[in-house]
Amino acid sequence: EYEKLWMIARVPRALATRVHAGYEAHVSNNPEILASAQTSMPETAVFEAIPNGVELPKSVADDGALRQRLGLSPSDQIVSHVGSFLRAKNQRLLVEAAARVPDTHFVFAGGGPQKKHCEARAAELGLQARLHFLGPVDDVATILRGSQVFAFPSVSEGMPNALLEAMSFALPSVVTKIPALTALVRDGEEGHAVEPDPESFARALRSMLDDDSSRRRLGRAAQRRVETTFSMQVVGERYLELYRQLCRR
């Protein structure tokens, strides 16, 4: 059932044109979808690319709750990932990378059909003590506050709120080098964007974990990027401006 969420029905052009005939505007967080909509909407319509927005956290300080839950010491390093276990999310890559990053704990939050396969592979690699599969969680903030790095190995994405939320907590990220992710995390600025293979991912994770100064710099840059571009306040203002524009027509 989870996989069906990733199936996109292709609407015939003629039907799309009829549906869109009365629309005055089309908004999308995806430029490709926006470009496609322009072929079926009136020439007078307004097209606007507006990204997803996230609430800014009140505090990003580690309160120790995650370490207490997992039985870890203050000196243990934690890499976290939040997302449904789907093939497109590619968590298997992160499991393989974890085997190449010693003395580090990896926390996975989320459920889905690929979770059992990732757990089985972790067991095969002897990583049960360092890889923590929490399943769906109610308080993602606890995980993000307790982490040093966020990892997002997807091979297909739209605009993931999970990544934006991690950035809002001043977490630098290692992401796969696909357009949807590099539009959020620019390599060397808010984190690292790498090829989707375990060694490249592990190398980027190790470089962050081994360099506190660089990690903090990238994390602060990630937080500023969300504050200035992807916060609910900024995104909400863009929608209000669009409404004002339409009202003036």
Side-chain angles (χ1 to χ4, degrees):
E1 291 299 319
Y2 278 84
E3 297 294 348
K4 292 179 182 178
L5 298 174
W6 291 87
M7 295 176 64
I8 301 175
R10 296 188 179 277
V11 180
R13 179 72 56 82
L15 176 59
T17 300
R18 291 182 61 185
V19 171
H20 292 156
Y23 289 4
E24 293 188 56
H26 183 93
V27 177
S28 177
N29 62 17
N30 188 307
E32 294 181 3
I33 293 176
L34 201 64
S36 176
Q38 290 179 295
T39 66
S40 60
M41 290 187 66
E43 294 182 0
T44 56
V46 175
F47 298 89
E48 191 74 22
I50 300 180
N52 292 349
V54 295
E55 294 283 357
L56 299 177
K58 294 180 180 179
S59 172
V60 301
D62 183 4
D63 58 7
L66 179 62
R67 295 173 188 278
Q68 183 176 6
R69 174 177 178 176
L70 300 178
L72 304 181
S73 72
S75 62
D76 286 322
Q77 293 184 309
I78 299 174
V79 174
S80 62
H81 167 82
V82 178
S84 297
F85 278 78
L86 306 173
R87 288 191 181 93
K89 296 293 187 181
N90 200 27
Q91 286 97 345
R92 174 69 177 261
L93 183 150
L94 188 53
V95 172
E96 299 289 343
R100 298 164 168 81
V101 186
D103 304 319
T104 301
H105 289 261
F106 288 73
V107 175
F108 296 79
Q114 297 299 312
K115 179 172 177 284
K116 59 184 178 182
H117 302 300
C118 289
E119 290 175 319
R121 181 56 178 158
E124 290 175 1
L125 294 170
L127 301 175
Q128 301 98 313
R130 293 198 293 115
L131 270 60
H132 310 270
F133 295 90
L134 305 185
V137 298
D138 293 326
D139 188 10
V140 172
T142 295
I143 294 173
L144 299 179
R145 288 193 190 100
S147 304
Q148 281 69 61
V149 177
F150 191 74
F152 212 72
S154 295
V155 293
S156 178
E157 278 291 347
M159 180 171 283
N161 273 32
L163 179 56
L164 290 173
E165 289 172 0
M167 295 169 66
S168 76
F169 276 81
L171 282 180
S173 300
V174 176
V175 304
T176 38
K177 194 178 292 185
I178 61 172
L181 300 185
T182 55
L184 305 180
V185 175
R186 297 166 295 188
D187 188 40
E189 296 188 43
E190 294 87 21
H192 293 305
V194 300
E195 297 298 330
D197 66 81
E199 185 51 48
S200 296
F201 224 83
R203 189 182 308 114
L205 289 171
R206 289 195 302 266
S207 71
M208 279 191 187
L209 294 167
D210 291 343
D211 189 337
D212 291 346
S213 176
S214 175
R215 187 174 68 247
R216 286 193 293 268
R217 174 180 59 80
L218 295 170
R220 286 193 297 268
Q223 186 179 44
R224 285 194 299 270
R225 184 156 167 73
V226 170
E227 290 171 348
T228 59
T229 308
F230 301 107
S231 70
M232 281 292 192
Q233 182 177 356
V234 171
V235 171
E237 184 56 42
R238 291 191 61 179
Y239 273 103
L240 286 174
E241 181 53 39
L242 174 61
Y243 299 151
R244 296 186 191 105
Q245 179 184 349
L246 294 174
C247 288
R248 291 193 294 266
R249 298 181 67 172

